[in-house]
């Protein structure tokens, strides 16, 4: 296992991952590791000892969010294993108890209540996907727990002062994302003019596209596009559980846009591109908000040129900016992801958000000197945290703890994701529309 030192952290976490809690029928306790468990490396000098500190969370290990949830699982396993080799948290081992929420927001509240009330976890970390995180946040607030979370960027709804985002699009993501996308498009010699919006109606995807429905001063991507002079030729909304994509593809084809803005997530853009391909139609250019990165690359040239958001891509320039530890982290993740059979093994935005969240949790415990939840929360507000891939983060309660965004845009070029915007973080030039 590769190891690294944690900047500004005096000790680190060891984690044993339990994907599900299982009861043994044997009278004697089993000496075999639990299903999915990561065995603690033994024999290291300064190995953690004593009662474990237990971190609880859910992840979407199955269901619609599963292709992304497994990225967070692998990143978390890697983080805590190599931290364990460095001596543990406060000198104690840490166990990560993970329950599968099956990509179902309705299960999240009960599962977090179980983790806190029945399993007696010491710490929590958030699940994947904004709707699930919002549900977990309500439980954390009810119990007064500090909760780092990976991917909820819907800042106006993340009002609990002790939730700490590991991925930030700033306090107004509904303005930041479309402005960034349209700024990039307008840097092209012949920018697109006709835009079709295809919008997942769940969580942050709907908010970023539509803004606040009852507040004209809080716009989303659709109205921002119109204000910037684009012709909005279609505005198609679909429920998160959509399975029939053909009617949507037909509407897009008939609208004849030169740019498709898919405010979607997970495998939404894969389904959409496949449905359009079956009609013999490809839009000249397309953006998708929060896709699972691997399945898109599996489409081959069908997805070439597609844009998305990113806080980190393992391009050489960005790895060098992140510092000497970054390459070892990226390489180890790639090895683990390949062993799990992931279609895309790169350490990118989702893995980065997970890494950030774990670094936030460790900093809170180490910085406050224990697991007192209010002390952890206060420490993060007062000191922030140094992260490997996103630099120093400051958490201002007036902005719901959302730090100034480091997000850019990535594009599929020649079968791989590369950062293309803004220019000072780009590893390649933004490619113009096809045709």
């Amino acid at each position: 296992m590769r190891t690294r030192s944690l900047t500004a952290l005096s000790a680190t976490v060891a984690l044993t991952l339990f994907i599900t809690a299982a009861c043994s029928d044997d009278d004697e306790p089993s000496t075999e590791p639990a299903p999915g468990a990561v065995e603690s490396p033994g024999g290291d000098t300064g190995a953690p000892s004593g009662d474990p500190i237990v971190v609880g969370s859910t992840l979407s290990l199955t269901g619609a969010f599963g292709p992304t949830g497994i990225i967070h699982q692998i990143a978390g396993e890697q983080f805590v294993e190599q931290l364990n080799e460095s001596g543990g948290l406060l000198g104690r081992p840490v166990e990560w108890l993970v329950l599968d929420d099956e990509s179902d927001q309705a299960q999240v509240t009960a599962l977090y209540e179980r983790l806190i009330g029945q399993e007696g976890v010491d710490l929590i970390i958030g699940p994947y996907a904004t709707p699930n995180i919002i549900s977990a946040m309500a439980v954390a607030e009810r119990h007064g727990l500090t909760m780092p979370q990976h991917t909820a960027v819907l800042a106006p709804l993340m009002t609990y002062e002790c939730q700490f985002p590991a991925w930030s699009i700033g306090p107004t993501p509904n303005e930041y994302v479309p402005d960034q996308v349209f700024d990039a498009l307008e840097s092209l010699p012949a920018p697109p003019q006709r835009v079709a919006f295809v919008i997942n109606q769940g969580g942050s995807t709907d908010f970023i596209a539509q803004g606040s429905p009852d507040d004209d001063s809080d716009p989303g991507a659709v109205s921002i596009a119109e204000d910037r002079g684009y012709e909005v030729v279609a505005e198609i909304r679909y429920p998160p559980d959509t399975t029939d994509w053909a009617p949507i593809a037909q509407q897009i084809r008939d609208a004849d846009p030169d740019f498709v803005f898919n405010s979607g997530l997970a495998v939404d853009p894969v389904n959409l591109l496949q449905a359009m391909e079956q009609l013999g139609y490809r839009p000249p250019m397309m953006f998708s908000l929060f896709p699972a990165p691997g399945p898109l690359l599996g489409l081959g040239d069908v997805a070439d040129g597609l844009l998305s958001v990113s806080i980190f891509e393992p391009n050489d320039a960005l790895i060098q900016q992140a510092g000497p530890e970054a390459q070892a982290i990226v390489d180890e993740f790639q090895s683990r992801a390949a062993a799990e059979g992931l279609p895309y093994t790169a350490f990118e935005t989702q893995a980065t958000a997970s890494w950030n969240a774990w670094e936030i949790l460790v900093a809170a415990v180490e910085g406050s000197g224990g697991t007192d939840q209010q002390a952890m929360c206060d420490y993060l507000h007062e000191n922030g945290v140094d992260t490997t891939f996103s630099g120093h983060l400051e958490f201002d309660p007036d902005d719901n703890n959302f730090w100034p965004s480091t997000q850019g845009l990535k594009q599929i070029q020649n079968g791989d994701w590369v950062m293309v915007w803004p220019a000072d973080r780009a590893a390649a030039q933004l490619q113009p529309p096809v045709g």
Side-chain angles (χ1 to χ4, degrees), residues 140-151:
E141 184 170 15
R142 188 155 53 246
H143 291 274
L145 299 182
T146 294
M147 189 186 81
Q149 52 88 4
H150 316 105
T151 54

Side-chain angles (χ1 to χ4, degrees), residues 104-403:
D104 181 5
Q105 183 184 7
Q107 297 190 39
V108 172
T109 296
L111 291 174
Y112 272 85
E113 290 286 1
R114 170 184 163 186
L115 287 165
I116 297 164
Q118 297 178 34
E119 305 293 346
V121 300
D122 301 291
L123 305 168
I124 62 170
I125 198 166
Y128 166 70
T130 296
N132 294 355
I133 293 168
I134 290 173
S135 292
M137 180 182 69
V139 179
E141 184 170 15
R142 188 155 53 246
H143 291 274
L145 299 182
T146 294
M147 189 186 81
Q149 52 88 4
H150 316 105
T151 54
V153 296
L154 190 51
L157 294 185
M158 307 302 291
T159 55
Y160 177 41
E161 67 174 8
C162 293
Q163 68 79 31
F164 293 92
W167 176 357
S168 177
I169 313 180
T172 55
N174 50 313
E175 298 176 25
Y176 188 98
V177 170
D179 280 338
Q180 187 172 64
V181 171
F182 296 135
D183 284 349
L185 294 181
E186 289 162 19
S187 74
L188 294 170
Q193 298 296 320
R194 295 166 51 83
V195 183
F197 286 91
V198 189
I199 305 161
N200 185 312
Q201 293 172 295
S204 56
T205 52
D206 192 60
F207 178 70
I208 287 175
Q210 304 286 345
S212 297
D214 302 322
D215 186 355
D216 292 340
S217 67
D218 197 19
V222 176
S223 56
I224 288 173
E226 293 172 333
D227 289 344
R228 293 180 69 138
Y230 292 91
E231 181 183 359
V232 176
V233 296
E235 187 177 340
I236 306 163
R237 302 177 76 205
Y238 60 91
D241 59 353
T242 294
T243 57
D244 185 3
W245 294 84
I248 299 174
Q250 291 169 357
Q251 291 179 72
I252 297 171
R253 180 195 61 186
D254 294 345
D256 191 28
D258 47 21
F259 183 70
V260 174
F261 188 116
N262 172 222
S263 195
L265 76 168
V267 293
D268 288 359
V270 174
N271 293 325
L272 193 57
L273 284 166
Q274 288 177 326
M276 291 188 291
E277 188 73 7
Q278 289 174 358
L279 297 175
Y281 169 75
R282 292 187 189 179
M285 201 169 190
M286 181 169 164
F287 165 86
S288 189
L289 186 58
F290 300 135
L296 278 166
L297 295 185
L299 295 180
D301 63 356
V302 173
D304 203 54
L306 185 136
L307 287 164
S308 188
V309 299
S310 178
I311 57 174
F312 180 80
E313 296 299 312
N315 309 137
D316 288 343
L318 296 184
I319 292 174
Q320 291 174 7
Q321 289 178 22
E325 300 99 343
Q327 188 67 63
I329 295 168
V330 166
D331 291 346
E332 176 64 21
F333 178 89
Q334 184 172 12
S335 176
R336 288 169 177 255
E340 289 290 337
L342 265 63
Y344 184 59
T345 61
F347 186 100
E348 48 72 70
T349 289
Q350 297 292 336
T352 302
S354 256
W355 205 267
N356 286 354
W358 282 103
E359 289 185 324
I360 292 168
L361 184 66
V362 170
V365 174
E366 286 292 334
S368 66
T371 60
D372 179 275
Q373 299 294 316
Q374 189 59 52
M376 291 167 57
C377 183
D378 291 344
Y379 175 85
L380 291 173
H381 283 145
E382 293 167 6
N383 299 278
V385 59
D386 291 321
T387 67
T388 303
F389 295 97
S390 297
H392 184 74
L393 311 182
E394 294 283 350
F395 303 108
D396 185 347
D398 290 341
D399 291 328
N400 292 344
N401 295 334
F402 280 82
W403 32 279

Side-chain angles (χ1 to χ4, degrees), residues 28-92:
E28 296 296 327
S30 173
T31 58
E32 294 298 316
V38 176
E39 297 182 43
S40 295
D44 287 353
T45 302
S49 61
D51 293 336
I53 294 173
V54 180
V55 181
S57 76
T58 75
L59 277 178
S60 297
L61 302 176
T62 57
F65 300 152
T68 311
I70 192 172
I71 296 173
H72 292 274
Q73 176 188 346
I74 293 170
E77 290 178 355
Q78 176 184 344
F79 183 93
V80 294
E81 274 194 49
Q82 66 184 51
L83 295 178
N84 186 40
E85 295 175 351
S86 300
L89 181 61
L90 304 177
R92 295 163 58 188

